[in-house]
């Protein structure tokens, strides 16, 4: 897991997105993005795997060149992993709920576009940190985390931007590794 | 299968109420140039370590003012406990709320198709009539977002995804042994999805 994270960090910092562009025209990097996401994941708590489900709102803004800064808020439901119960009752299988925030940096790694950039597919890399706060019956839970991940999807671009993206994120937590998988829709102006 | 509740859920009274509500909303909508939506509502949460899901039908009337929509939402749903929804139905929930939605972003494809992002918040009141004859009336607060796919600026498919907060029910059918304290607030996940015109 740590090796994979290091490889992704190396890729994110060394890859020059411009070189990897297939299309001739350069991508617009000044979109102010606002998005929402449904997420599923796992975090270790008290030496036990816990399942998370979440809804999130995210913003990201241009920072410098192709680097962007992102901030996210998630409302999280969390409970002990029980795949059969999750499949049958969804969020109702999770006992507690709380909040999670993420702050990080994001950069385009690969992109291919068609039709004067009306349609593009992309892969972005991202890294950052955050924290989760859950008020459980057994006591409050506060968990910091670092994350490294990729976002892949397609974008429709006209005067505005619309992205459909899949987020896959590895989390490093005090008790071990976690993960987040999300499906999001993002609007850019 | 629950012998008492299932006939009530499918009762003519419920259907009539829903159809009447929809007709009234359509009439009102035409009168004030508003939107009407109809679709499914589903809520999922947990009480007393048991899964609770409420699934049913919802109608919405919204009045548009630029990017703001002022809305009223009515719903009828079966309230169920346990892993199997049909076997666990223990009551009928009548729910009404008012709220506001802000269309924060819109992506348009030649005025034929709009992808809209809305943020919404509602206050609602739940009236749950349990099969035991008990009744729970409780407030509900919702906050979330909606994904709207609007075709030709006339008809839309909307999915609202929200977190909702409500006090735990106090009826004995909803809790085993001692009930949770009335002031205990639980958080749940909620989807309202359907057509808007």
């Amino acid at each position: 897991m740590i090796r994979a994270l290091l490889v992704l960090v190396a890729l994110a910092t060394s890859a020059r997105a411009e070189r990897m562009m297939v299309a001739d025209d350069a991508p617009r990097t000044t979109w102010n993005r606002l998005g929402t996401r449904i997420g599923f994941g796992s975090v270790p708590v008290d030496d036990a795997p816990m399942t998370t489900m979440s809804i999130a709102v995210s913003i990201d803004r241009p920072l410098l060149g192709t680097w962007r800064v992102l901030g996210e808020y998630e409302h999280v439901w969390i409970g002990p992993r029980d795949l059969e119960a999750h499949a049958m009752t969804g969020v109702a299988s999770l006992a507690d709920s709380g909040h999670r925030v993420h702050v990080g940096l994001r950069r385009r790694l690969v992109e291919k576009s068609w039709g004067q950039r009306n349609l593009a597919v992309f892969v972005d890399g991202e890294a950052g940190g955050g924290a989760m706060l859950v008020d459980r019956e057994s006591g409050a839970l506060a968990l910091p985390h670092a994350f490294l991940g990729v976002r892949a999807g397609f974008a429709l671009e006209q005067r505005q931007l619309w992205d459909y993206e899949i987020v896959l994120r590895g989390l490093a937590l005090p008790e071990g590794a976690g993960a987040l998988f999300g499906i999001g829709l993002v609007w850019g102006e | 299968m629950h012998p008492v509740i299932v006939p009530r859920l499918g009762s003519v009274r419920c259907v009539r109420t829903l159809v009447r509500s929809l007709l009234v909303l359509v009439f009102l909508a035409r009168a004030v140039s508003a939107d009407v939506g109809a679709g499914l509502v589903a809520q999922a949460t947990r009480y007393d370590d048991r899964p609770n899901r409420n699934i049913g039908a919802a109608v919405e009337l919204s009045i548009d003012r630029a990017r703001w929509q002022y809305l009223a939402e009515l719903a009828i749903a079966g309230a169920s406990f346990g892993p199997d929804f049909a076997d666990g139905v223990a009551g009928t929930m009548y729910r009404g709320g008012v709220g506001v939605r802000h269309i924060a972003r819109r992506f348009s494809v030649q005025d034929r198709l709009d992808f809209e992002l809305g943020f919404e918040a509602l206050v609602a009141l739940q009236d749950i009539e349990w099969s035991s004859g008990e009744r729970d009336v409780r407030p509900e607060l919702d906050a979330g977002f909606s994904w709207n796919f609007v075709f030709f600026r006339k008809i839309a498919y909307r999915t609202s995804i929200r977190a909702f907060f409500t006090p735990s029910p106090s009826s004995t059918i909803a809790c085993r042994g001692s009930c949770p304290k009335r002031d205990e607030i639980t958080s749940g996940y909620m989807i309202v999805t359907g057509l808007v015109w």
Side-chain angles (χ1 to χ4, degrees), chain A residues 32-38 54-57 61 75 77 88-97 99 137 156-162 183-185 187-189, chain B residues 44-46 49-53 67 82-84 104-110 115-117 119 143-149 161-165 184 187-189:
Chain A
N32 288 321
R33 289 190 175 94
L34 175 64
T36 46
R37 185 178 68 223
I38 302 168
S54 61
I55 57 175
V57 59
R61 296 283 186 268
H75 190 80
W77 291 270
M88 292 192 75
T89 62
V91 169
S93 65
L94 304 175
D96 298 301
S97 65
H99 313 276
E137 202 172 292
L156 303 178
E157 190 174 318
Q158 295 196 345
R159 282 172 300 173
Q160 310 98 359
L161 176 81
W162 185 76
I183 296 170
L185 299 184
W187 282 254
E189 286 184 347
Chain B
T45 186
R46 200 167 176 86
D49 208 26
R50 283 189 300 165
N52 163 232
R53 287 172 295 164
R67 287 198 167 201
D84 187 285
R105 293 288 171 95
R106 176 180 291 134
F107 177 86
S108 300
V109 182
Q110 297 178 339
F115 301 146
E116 292 178 345
L117 170 64
F119 290 100
F145 56 84
S146 66
W147 293 337
N148 313 313
F149 301 91
I161 300 165
R162 306 173 191 152
F164 73 93
F165 305 88
E184 188 172 312
S187 158
Y189 178 85

Side-chain angles (χ1 to χ4, degrees), chain B residues 29-109:
Chain B
R30 287 190 171 181
V32 296
S33 300
D35 296 333
V36 175
L40 299 174
V41 60
Q43 295 183 320
T45 186
R46 200 167 176 86
Y47 299 119
D48 193 33
D49 208 26
R50 283 189 300 165
N52 163 232
R53 287 172 295 164
N54 308 320
I55 299 176
V59 292
E60 177 195 298
L61 172 71
S62 65
I63 298 171
D64 302 348
R65 291 287 179 270
R67 287 198 167 201
W68 292 91
Q69 297 178 343
Y70 304 95
L71 58 99
E73 190 176 85
L74 297 172
I76 300 173
S80 170
F81 289 94
D84 187 285
F85 180 82
D87 284 348
V89 170
T92 304
M93 181 182 77
Y94 303 91
R95 178 180 164 278
V98 293
V100 64
R101 176 182 298 121
H102 176 59
I103 303 300
R105 293 288 171 95
R106 176 180 291 134
F107 177 86
S108 300
V109 182

Side-chain angles (χ1 to χ4, degrees), chain A residues 124-144:
Chain A
D124 286 4
E126 59 182 11
M132 179 169 69
L133 183 63
V134 176
D135 183 16
R136 299 183 300 171
E137 202 172 292
S138 56
L141 172 70
L143 278 181

Side-chain angles (χ1 to χ4, degrees), chain A residues 38-173:
Chain A
I38 302 168
F40 309 90
S42 175
V43 294
V45 177
D46 300 333
D47 295 324
M50 308 289 276
T51 297
T52 62
M53 296 187 192
S54 61
I55 57 175
V57 59
S58 67
I59 55 170
D60 81 58
R61 296 283 186 268
L63 183 64
L64 188 65
T66 56
W67 288 94
R68 305 178 59 81
V69 61
L70 64 90
E72 298 174 352
Y73 166 78
E74 279 182 293
H75 190 80
V76 180
W77 291 270
I78 183 170
R81 183 182 295 168
D82 181 345
L83 297 180
E84 190 178 347
H86 302 336
M88 292 192 75
T89 62
V91 169
S93 65
L94 304 175
D96 298 301
S97 65
H99 313 276
R100 185 160 63 181
V101 293
H102 307 264
V103 178
L105 295 173
R106 170 180 177 176
R107 190 172 194 264
R108 186 134 301 181
L109 300 177
V110 183
E111 182 180 89
K112 178 174 172 56
S113 63
W114 297 270
Q116 297 180 320
R117 303 193 53 76
N118 290 139
L119 172 66
V121 292
F122 64 85
V123 178
D124 286 4
E126 59 182 11
M132 179 169 69
L133 183 63
V134 176
D135 183 16
R136 299 183 300 171
E137 202 172 292
S138 56
L141 172 70
L143 278 181
H145 68 265
F147 71 84
L148 190 64
V150 292
R151 297 184 188 220
F154 67 89
L156 303 178
E157 190 174 318
Q158 295 196 345
R159 282 172 300 173
Q160 310 98 359
L161 176 81
W162 185 76
D163 284 358
Y164 173 94
E165 61 184 26
I166 290 172
V167 180
L168 191 57
R169 204 174 267 181
L171 307 175
L173 298 117

